[in-house]
Amino acid sequence: MGKYQPLTHYLEATPEKIWDARFSEVEKVLGFSLPPSAHAYAAWWANQEPGHSQTRGWRDAGWETSQVDLASKKVRFHRRRRGASLASIDPKPTGPNPELLERARRLSGIEDRDVLLDAALTEFVHREASRRLAELGGSMPDFEAPARERPDW
């Protein structure tokens, strides 16, 4: 049994879709104090894959974290939506652009909305990390990248 398994069990048994928790509530569920890094760094609460042991504690239960507030010692846990189809996209303006999602689906052949968004965000992160590395001089300080071409869609 992993150190954060009590959190997994708690979240699996929670019927709500969102749990706004104080760090003290998380500690109560766990039965021990969170490490100092949980109080000092929002990155401790990140949802990275494959993730640290604490991340597996909530991800194994199908949850993610967001809205980490270190000053108030609060974090939001919310259920992940997996397997949502593009047909079920909520047309609210706060969500992803439905037309852009449909175009990406046609180009990639990926039907699952969440898988498509994960793939797009992964590519975006790789591109931006590469760009920043190049700006810092990277491993080839004399390299000059050609101007990026943008498709006319």
Side-chain angles (χ1 to χ4, degrees):
M1 179 175 190
K3 183 176 181 178
Y4 293 93
Q5 196 69 30
L7 181 59
T8 303
H9 293 310
Y10 178 84
L11 291 171
E12 286 174 337
T14 299
E16 290 82 17
K17 293 182 180 181
I18 294 174
W19 178 38
D20 289 320
R22 296 189 175 282
F23 292 1
S24 60
E25 292 174 294
V26 176
E27 291 172 332
K28 185 176 178 182
V29 167
L30 291 171
F32 60 85
S33 296
L34 291 168
S37 55
H39 294 271
Y41 305 104
W44 190 91
W45 299 95
N47 296 300
Q48 75 272 12
E49 288 285 344
H52 296 285
S53 57
Q54 74 271 13
T55 306
R56 286 190 300 275
W58 57 78
R59 289 189 66 89
D60 286 353
W63 291 67
E64 290 185 339
T65 57
S66 64
Q67 300 180 17
V68 177
D69 185 343
L70 297 175
S72 298
K73 307 292 184 196
K74 294 179 184 177
V75 61
R76 170 170 281 184
F77 290 89
H78 57 91
R79 289 190 188 276
R80 287 185 305 195
R81 285 189 43 207
R82 301 311 272 168
S85 70
L86 286 169
S88 68
I89 293 174
D90 186 354
K92 294 179 195 169
T94 58
N97 179 321
E99 292 82 19
L100 187 57
L101 282 171
E102 179 58 26
R103 187 179 316 151
R105 184 199 59 77
R106 283 194 316 267
L107 288 169
S108 69
I110 299 172
E111 294 292 330
D112 184 286
R113 176 182 182 270
D114 291 328
V115 172
L116 181 61
L117 290 174
D118 285 348
L121 289 171
T122 298
E123 288 300 316
F124 175 77
V125 167
H126 288 177
R127 187 190 76 206
E128 290 302 306
S130 297
R131 183 185 59 78
R132 288 184 184 179
L133 180 61
E135 285 176 354
L136 294 171
S139 59
M140 299 170 55
D142 297 327
F143 176 76
E144 290 188 28
R148 297 189 308 193
E149 293 182 27
R150 303 213 184 254
D152 293 328
W153 295 0

